[in-house]
Amino acid sequence: MELALDNCMLLEGDKLVLKQVVINSGKISEINEVGEQRQGVEFIYCNGNVLLPGLIDAHVHFRVPGGEHKEDWISGSKAALAGGITTVVDMPNTSPSCTTQALLNEKKKIAERDGLCNSFFHFGASNNNAIELEQVHGIISFKIFLGSSTGDLLVTDEEKLKKIFSTAKERNMVVAVHAEDEEIIQKNIKKAKELGWNHAKYHSSIRDNEAEFKSIEKALSLQSEIGNRLHVCHVSTKEGIELIRKAKQDEQAVTCEVTPHHLFLDESATEELGNFAKMNPSLKSKRDVEALWKGVRDGTADLIATDHAPHTLAEKEKNYWEAPSGVPGCETLLPLLLNAVNEGKIGLKHIIELCCENPAKLYGLKGKGFIKEGMDADLVLVDLKKEIIIENGNLFTKCNWSPFSGWSLKGVAEKVFVQGKEVGP
Ligand code: DOR
Ligand code: ZN
Ligand code: ZN
């Protein structure tokens, strides 16, 4: 049966206009003037609320297999829908890491069975899966960790990196990098231990600006030698975003993303939140945050992606050295961004580019990211005036805490449609 979302606001150019969006067999079949009458069509009246393309979160860790106590596809996708996200791209640093076709197929089966949203997959590039990289299908990028983080995916050997970049080039595949320099991190860890540091407030001195700068520089230099497409995940520093701006000016094939936590928090949050604000890359200074916003505004940042990386309360309550890095981010994504729209920090058009259109284009996600006839009916109806308070213990993510707990935000997802079906929030 057809479904008509009537009286919803769509962004056309720079203007919001009232329209009717008709959905048939999971796709957007027509965009009509408001109020058009049709026989045999179910109507949903949208009260003039804004309809956005469902958000695409190009960077999540849903923890299957091996970390189901932190998140699984049921809890993770519910958190996604609450945050206006209809498509997620899952990362490979699971247990075991997703570095073979067989493991990928297994993960896809589970995502298909349990997930309430659309799913795509990054594939892990390791020190010993060169053949798999040549043959694997059903993925959208090769993910490399240039600095160690959660999981066992770290590649630092120059020759191996070159081989991975070359295979990506041959296959027109994006190389997505976690860019932090392992040598600098290890040197800083040694120093921190000598000084007896044991608190998340030192995390940004260990995973420092130089570590990110050096690593992005290296990735850019490999890209320029080999000519593949490069995507820098979660840029967190002024130096990093400036390096990427310069590379783009020089027409290098590079894109990058920033996370909500690096945009809305700075390193001072670690004083109070401790390990609940410990993630890699670390939160940086206010100066860095400003530079990231500048990068968002001038188009240096291509995407906003959450790096949703849940860990349990018990894991986070360990001492600094033992507590894992990462924070959940899916269900706070849209409220944080809509609140920023309400505060005049960013425009809706820009959010659609960063969270819908650009990720769809970058990763070639067919049918996604745009409200147009023929596209998938992945949609989110938002209420820009409704306020919510983010609260630990009252969340969909299995870890059930958020670094934004206590924040009052204006702007939420009212209804979420995945391939034409109302599924949330
Ligand atoms: O903070 C992080 N957590 N950074 C990463 O690179 C990995 C992630 C995780 O999987 O926990
Ligand atoms: Zn990462
Ligand atoms: Zn990540």
Side-chain angles (χ1 to χ4, degrees):
M1 162 127 136
E2 284 180 289
L3 181 68
L5 306 182
D6 200 23
N7 215 29
C8 55
M9 289 278 199
L10 297 188
L11 199 68
E12 280 189 359
D14 287 331
K15 276 205 218 94
L16 283 169
V17 285
L18 275 178
K19 290 281 176 184
Q20 177 189 84
V21 174
V22 183
I23 299 170
N24 194 350
S25 309
K27 307 245 184 247
I28 298 168
S29 57
E30 290 170 38
I31 299 176
N32 296 326
E33 292 314 311
V34 78
E36 197 159 304
Q37 292 305 309
R38 300 279 299 277
Q39 292 292 311
V41 177
E42 185 191 338
F43 272 69
I44 294 182
Y45 292 95
C46 302
N47 304 318
N49 279 339
V50 175
L51 189 69
L52 302 174
L55 275 60
I56 298 167
D57 189 347
H59 190 146
V60 306
H61 300 264
F62 275 5
R63 305 299 189 204
V64 176
E68 291 85 348
H69 62 293
K70 301 173 196 264
E71 199 76 284
D72 59 32
W73 279 87
I74 300 174
S75 57
S77 61
K78 281 186 182 164
L81 297 177
I85 297 159
T86 52
T87 297
V88 296
V89 192
D90 189 51
M91 282 293 171
N93 61 332
T94 41
S95 268
S97 290
C98 190
T99 51
T100 69
Q101 184 76 55
L103 286 163
L104 173 73
N105 293 348
E106 197 49 40
K107 192 196 260 197
K108 280 190 165 184
K109 239 195 265 166
I110 296 168
E112 206 51 47
R113 187 191 69 199
D114 294 347
L116 300 164
C117 61
N118 305 298
S119 48
F120 292 90
F121 301 88
H122 297 283
F123 189 70
S126 73
N127 282 307
N128 47 28
N129 71 339
I131 305 284
E132 294 277 346
L133 293 180
E134 280 166 19
Q135 296 171 353
V136 64
H137 52 86
I139 58 159
I140 64 153
S141 93
F142 296 162
K143 172 73 188 286
I144 311 185
F145 284 83
L146 296 173
S148 53
S149 194
T150 308
D152 60 2
L153 284 171
L154 173 69
V155 186
T156 53
D157 180 85
E158 181 100 11
E159 287 314 306
K160 292 207 160 129
L161 287 170
K162 280 190 186 165
K163 177 83 178 102
I164 295 166
F165 277 54
S166 308
T167 307
K169 157 102 172 131
E170 276 158 31
R171 301 196 60 190
N172 191 24
M173 189 69 71
V174 175
V175 171
V177 293
H178 176 117
E180 290 188 288
D181 185 273
E182 185 62 10
E183 248 178 65
I184 296 177
I185 296 169
Q186 291 310 328
K187 184 192 80 192
N188 290 344
I189 287 177
K190 188 163 172 280
K191 194 179 81 186
K193 290 198 165 161
E194 281 162 13
L195 291 168
W197 289 354
N198 192 357
H199 191 275
K201 68 184 173 193
Y202 301 113
H203 199 52
S204 62
S205 305
I206 296 169
R207 301 214 168 224
D208 62 9
N209 289 46
E210 193 197 355
E212 182 171 283
F213 180 82
K214 267 275 170 61
S215 185
I216 295 179
E217 192 175 51
K218 175 155 177 199
L220 283 170
S221 132
L222 284 167
Q223 187 287 327
S224 119
E225 183 182 333
I226 289 158
N228 60 300
R229 296 195 287 151
L230 174 69
H231 179 73
V232 183
C233 296
H234 45 49
V235 180
S236 67
T237 59
K238 181 170 194 280
E239 293 81 357
I241 199 88
E242 285 178 353
L243 202 53
I244 292 166
R245 182 178 292 115
K246 166 88 177 37
K248 285 185 165 196
Q249 282 160 2
D250 296 344
E251 298 191 355
Q252 256 188 274
V254 60
T255 53
C256 73
E257 76 198 22
V258 291
T259 72
H261 49 267
H262 292 115
L263 288 173
F264 292 102
L265 299 171
D266 64 67
E267 61 194 350
S268 67
T270 54
E271 294 274 353
E272 225 178 275
L273 293 175
N275 296 329
F276 294 93
K278 178 188 179 191
M279 78 292 287
N280 305 331
S282 59
L283 295 176
K284 303 294 195 302
S285 70
K286 293 192 169 56
R287 155 192 177 271
D288 295 295
V289 174
E290 266 321 299
L292 296 181
W293 275 104
K294 179 167 181 242
V296 163
R297 292 200 187 93
D298 75 3
T300 304
D302 300 272
L303 323 178
I304 293 179
T306 66
D307 197 3
H308 177 83
H311 296 285
T312 64
L313 274 175
E315 289 163 338
K316 283 294 200 180
E317 277 163 359
K318 292 182 177 173
N319 81 67
Y320 166 74
W321 291 107
E322 282 170 41
S325 295
V327 294
C330 281
E331 66 201 278
T332 43
L333 175 65
L334 190 58
L336 284 167
L337 293 177
L338 294 180
N339 191 67
V341 169
N342 278 313
E343 288 179 347
K345 257 190 124 153
I346 187 169
L348 266 182
K349 183 176 158 63
H350 215 147
I351 290 179
I352 295 172
E353 283 166 10
L354 288 156
C355 299
C356 311
E357 299 177 359
N358 292 352
K361 284 193 236 165
L362 170 64
Y363 291 120
L365 311 181
K366 289 207 182 76
K368 306 296 180 203
F370 295 83
I371 301 183
K372 277 190 193 155
E373 284 172 19
M375 303 299 276
D376 293 347
D378 295 336
L379 300 163
V380 51
L381 188 68
V382 307
D383 185 340
L384 270 159
K385 295 286 162 255
K386 190 162 162 184
E387 294 197 24
I388 50 155
I389 296 176
I390 310 297
E391 255 183 325
N392 286 344
N394 194 19
L395 295 161
F396 288 103
T397 172
K398 209 181 263 192
C399 73
N400 216 347
W401 60 270
S402 162
F404 300 104
S405 184
W407 287 39
S408 168
L409 300 169
K410 199 164 160 188
V412 294
E414 273 285 291
K415 288 183 191 293
V416 183
F417 300 85
V418 172
Q419 296 182 36
K421 282 207 188 73
E422 189 176 340
V423 285

